[in-house]
């Protein structure tokens, strides 16, 4: 049995760096516990969900997500949040390798399942969304839109219909069944892949980036 004491850990100190002048820094003390670093999580888009709990300083905890496939995503303009399936990683400003390996990190752009948001919209406004041109509304969809409601409920729905205008780019994505979204949580720290649907100028920006990559 052989045990080596020469194995180096990940440290966040600055003694190993050089000064601006190029001079070496003489370490004035040993490494400290509060300077330690840990290996990156490299959270993968896969299932089933796997999250490890890590004890940190002070008895606090971090939740290291190793595999995730769902998350809570908000539709800001409508003020609604749904738990949806993450389908693919499509863009990452920092590294294309993270797109190829389907690694989930904060601020990466993903495509998510549009079905929960489409279902909510049609129930809330009683208006069809994401309908392809030349395709008639099916009987099942018609039943959802025109289901029997009380007079009070129908009055509320009619009032909502006045403000049920959706951006054309969101409507197009709904018809395709996939919506572009951004992850705003840190999967390697909190164990979740939550985010928001891209809209407006931000959506246009990332659509341009995706077109340029093709």
């Amino acid at each position: 049995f052989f045990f080596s004491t020469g194995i180096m850990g990940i440290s966040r100190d600055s003694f190993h760096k050089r000064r601006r002048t190029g001079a070496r820094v003489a370490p004035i003390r040993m490494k400290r516990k509060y300077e330690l670093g840990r290996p990156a999580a490299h959270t993968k888009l896969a299932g089933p969900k796997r999250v490890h709990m890590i004890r940190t300083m002070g008895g606090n905890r971090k939740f290291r997500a190793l595999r995730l496939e769902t998350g809570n995503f908000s539709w800001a303009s409508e003020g609604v949040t749904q738990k949806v399936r993450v389908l693919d990683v499509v863009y990452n400003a920092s590294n294309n390798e993270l797109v190829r390996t389907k690694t989930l990190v904060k601020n990466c752009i993903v495509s998510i399942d549009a079905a929960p948001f489409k279902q909510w919209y049609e129930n809330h406004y009683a208006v069809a969304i994401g309908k392809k041109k030349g395709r008639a509304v099916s009987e099942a969809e018609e039943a959802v839109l025109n289901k029997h409601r009380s007079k009070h409920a129908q009055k509320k729905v009619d009032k909502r219909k006045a403000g049920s205008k959706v951006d054309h780019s969101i409507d197009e994505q709904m018809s395709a069944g996939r919506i572009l979204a951004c992850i705003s949580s840190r999967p390697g720290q909190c164990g979740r892949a939550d985010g928001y649907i891209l809209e407006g100028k931000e959506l246009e920006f990332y659509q341009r980036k995706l077109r340029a990559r093709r």
Side-chain angles (χ1 to χ4, degrees):
F1 181 79
F2 174 75
F3 180 76
S4 172
T5 55
I7 297 172
M8 295 179 67
I10 301 171
S11 183
R12 295 183 298 112
D13 66 352
S14 58
F15 289 127
H16 65 282
K17 293 188 174 182
R18 287 177 178 264
R19 290 199 174 92
R20 267 184 170 177
T21 57
R24 293 179 78 114
V25 178
I28 57 169
R29 56 171 170 74
M30 301 289 280
K31 292 179 181 179
R32 295 292 185 260
K33 173 76 173 174
Y34 55 78
E35 289 173 344
L36 71 77
R38 296 185 183 89
H42 297 299
T43 309
K44 299 298 177 197
L45 174 57
K49 180 172 88 168
R50 180 183 287 177
V51 179
H52 285 182
M53 194 271 284
I54 296 170
R55 185 197 180 276
T56 60
M57 286 197 76
N60 295 307
R61 295 182 298 174
K62 285 185 177 181
F63 298 94
R64 185 81 82 231
L66 304 179
R67 291 200 303 243
L68 289 173
E69 58 181 349
T70 59
N72 293 330
F73 287 82
S74 66
W75 188 357
S77 61
E78 293 295 337
V80 66
T81 301
Q82 298 285 339
K83 182 180 180 180
V84 296
R85 200 158 53 91
V86 181
L87 302 175
D88 197 10
V89 179
V90 295
Y91 183 77
N92 193 309
S94 62
N95 191 351
N96 283 334
E97 193 69 8
L98 300 179
V99 178
R100 189 185 67 79
T101 54
K102 298 188 189 302
T103 304
L104 298 173
V105 293
K106 184 177 177 177
N107 270 9
C108 74
I109 306 302
V110 295
S111 64
I112 60 173
D113 184 19
F117 289 105
K118 188 177 180 181
Q119 191 179 12
W120 172 85
Y121 190 89
E122 290 177 349
N123 277 328
H124 190 71
Y125 290 108
V127 174
I129 187 175
K131 193 165 71 71
K132 291 178 180 176
K133 285 183 180 178
R135 180 179 165 274
V137 179
S138 67
E139 288 183 10
E141 290 172 337
E142 194 69 43
V144 171
L145 299 176
N146 299 325
K147 68 180 180 182
H148 176 71
R149 297 180 177 88
S150 66
K151 285 183 180 179
H152 178 69
Q154 189 61 50
K155 195 174 178 183
K156 281 207 296 187
V157 168
D158 292 340
K159 192 176 179 182
R160 284 177 194 151
K161 278 185 184 179
S164 64
K165 182 71 176 167
V166 157
D167 190 56
H168 176 64
S169 52
I170 296 284
D171 195 44
E172 273 186 341
Q173 291 181 89
M174 288 282 188
S175 64
R178 290 169 169 244
I179 312 175
L180 288 178
C182 178
I183 290 181
S184 56
S185 67
R186 300 170 69 194
Q189 307 292 318
C190 67
R192 299 163 67 98
D194 299 340
Y196 59 92
I197 290 175
L198 295 176
E199 297 180 85
K201 296 284 186 187
E202 192 176 12
L203 175 60
E204 289 171 18
F205 173 81
Y206 284 113
Q207 283 178 331
R208 281 200 306 272
K209 289 284 186 185
L210 290 171
R211 279 196 294 270
R213 282 185 57 203
R214 284 173 191 157

